[in-house]
Amino acid sequence: MGTEQIIAIVIFSLVMLAIITEKINRCVAALSGALLMVLFNILPMEVGLSHVDFNTIGVLIGMMLFVAVVKNSGLFEYIAIFTAKKAKGDPWKIMVSFIFITAILSAVLDNVTTVLLIGPMTIVITHILNLNPVPFLITQIIASNIGGTATLIGDPPNIMIGSAANLSFTDFVINLGPVVVLLLFVVIICFKFIFGKKLIVEESHKQNILSLDENKAIKDKALLIKSIVVMIFILLGFTLHSIIHIESSIIALTGATIMLMIGNQDIDEILASIEWSTIVFFISLFIIVGGLQEVGIINDLATALINATKGNPILTMLIILWISAIVSSFLDNIPFVATLIPLILTMEAQGIDVVPLWWATSLGACLGGNGTLIGASANIVLANVGQKHGYPITFKNYFKIGFPIMILTIIISTAYLILKF
């Protein structure tokens, strides 16, 4: 192993350690690692930037801008109140309804944005019912990661995989949609056994829910109508992007730009709401993994994996599925997938059929994020929402529910992939 390889591994390891321990802000840790790769001449800056997947960055920025405008219409508050009233204040029905809403929105927006919108509304509804919102928040974390698995834009790892493997929105829905629906119903049955008997409220609290007026949640009806129309066109664009040959990032950014033009919102306020730290984090990670690629470490790992499995596609697929799931439980799935993508591309260059490996990576990384409270960005975001409102979700309490459910979903995914491939 050469000096450059040792330096690259040390930089990568220090960044991962900083992210796992949360001693340093993950954006600062990743940016520091990217700069060290350049300063130690592992790769020049222009080569580092060539490793950045700007399609992924474009999709993230586009969807963040779009949602920042849409949320000012009051659409999401309307959905939450309307749902709670339709459930007639029954806490179990509300929990199930919010699970479905979280899963669906996580598939068509992205799971981080979804939990930021649904979390605060959940706390308001449970406060009216005089219930602890933590069980609701835990089920929404799990639902967001499962729902986000189904589409190209649902979970950041999928955006990265779709861009690297040239997979369309439709490819994700067709290949992962069926198993995601199955998993969602399985976890709802699990939640019934875990939480069902604990969700008891007085009739007076149910009446308080029924007295709410969802129409008052709509702050801007014109913006609401515009948002729904543009959202339909964005989803249509994602579905057809492989046919019309327009990158998913261009579709997302076009939808966002149209909303900025017709939404009549404060542009500076919308731009300020973008999670720029997340964008910098992504760019920095791409450069760090690019450094590992440039010194040949990714190629060595790919060769080792092929030799270990003797090129058996099913065995390779299952190893990637389970490693992705376990590692993504304890390490944010974004840096892990950023490392895995060039490895799979290298295996493809060596003659391996990698199509099953992309789906194994997506299922493993997205579902693995449910294993612990630090497994995915959505988990951390929703835990912060709970903490801010005085309802902390502890690592231990979440682990007791999340990890067994994660293992169950990976077992089902294993059976699904074997039957499919």
Side-chain angles (χ1 to χ4, degrees), residues 328-400:
S328 295
S329 289
F330 297 94
L331 173 67
D332 192 312
N333 53 20
I334 295 168
F336 178 73
V337 171
T339 311
L340 205 54
I341 283 171
L343 188 147
I344 294 174
L345 290 173
T346 304
M347 292 172 71
E348 184 178 34
Q350 295 179 10
I352 301 292
D353 176 18
V354 298
V355 172
L357 306 188
W358 293 122
W359 304 127
T361 303
S362 176
L363 285 169
C366 297
L367 298 176
N370 277 329
T372 72
L373 203 54
I374 59 170
S377 303
N379 308 20
I380 299 165
V381 167
L382 200 47
N384 288 342
V385 170
Q387 179 82 40
K388 190 168 77 173
H389 288 84
Y391 298 100
I393 304 171
T394 66
F395 186 96
K396 182 180 176 183
N397 286 345
Y398 179 84
F399 184 83
K400 287 190 292 187

Side-chain angles (χ1 to χ4, degrees), residues 66-87:
F66 176 74
V67 171
V69 177
V70 174
K71 72 178 181 183
N72 289 337
S73 69
L75 171 64
F76 304 106
E77 290 89 341
Y78 176 91
I79 291 171
I81 295 169
F82 178 82
T83 302
K85 286 181 71 175
K86 282 294 179 184

Side-chain angles (χ1 to χ4, degrees), residues 38 41 43-52 54 287 294:
V38 175
N41 206 30
L43 76 177
M45 177 57 81
E46 60 271 20
V47 175
L49 290 174
S50 73
H51 284 279
V52 176
F54 285 102
I287 294 172
E294 289 295 319

Side-chain angles (χ1 to χ4, degrees), residues 74-105 117-118 121-122 125-126 128-129 136 140 206 208-215 217-218:
L75 171 64
F76 304 106
E77 290 89 341
Y78 176 91
I79 291 171
I81 295 169
F82 178 82
T83 302
K85 286 181 71 175
K86 282 294 179 184
K88 300 192 186 304
D90 183 299
W92 168 246
K93 289 180 181 177
I94 290 173
M95 178 178 275
V96 172
S97 299
F98 275 38
I99 287 170
F100 278 117
I101 290 170
T102 304
I104 292 166
L105 288 179
L117 296 167
I118 297 297
M121 283 309 303
T122 301
I125 298 292
T126 51
I128 294 170
L129 290 170
F136 289 79
Q140 286 164 23
K206 291 182 181 181
N208 290 338
I209 291 288
L210 294 173
S211 66
L212 295 172
D213 184 359
E214 64 272 21
N215 293 310
I218 301 298

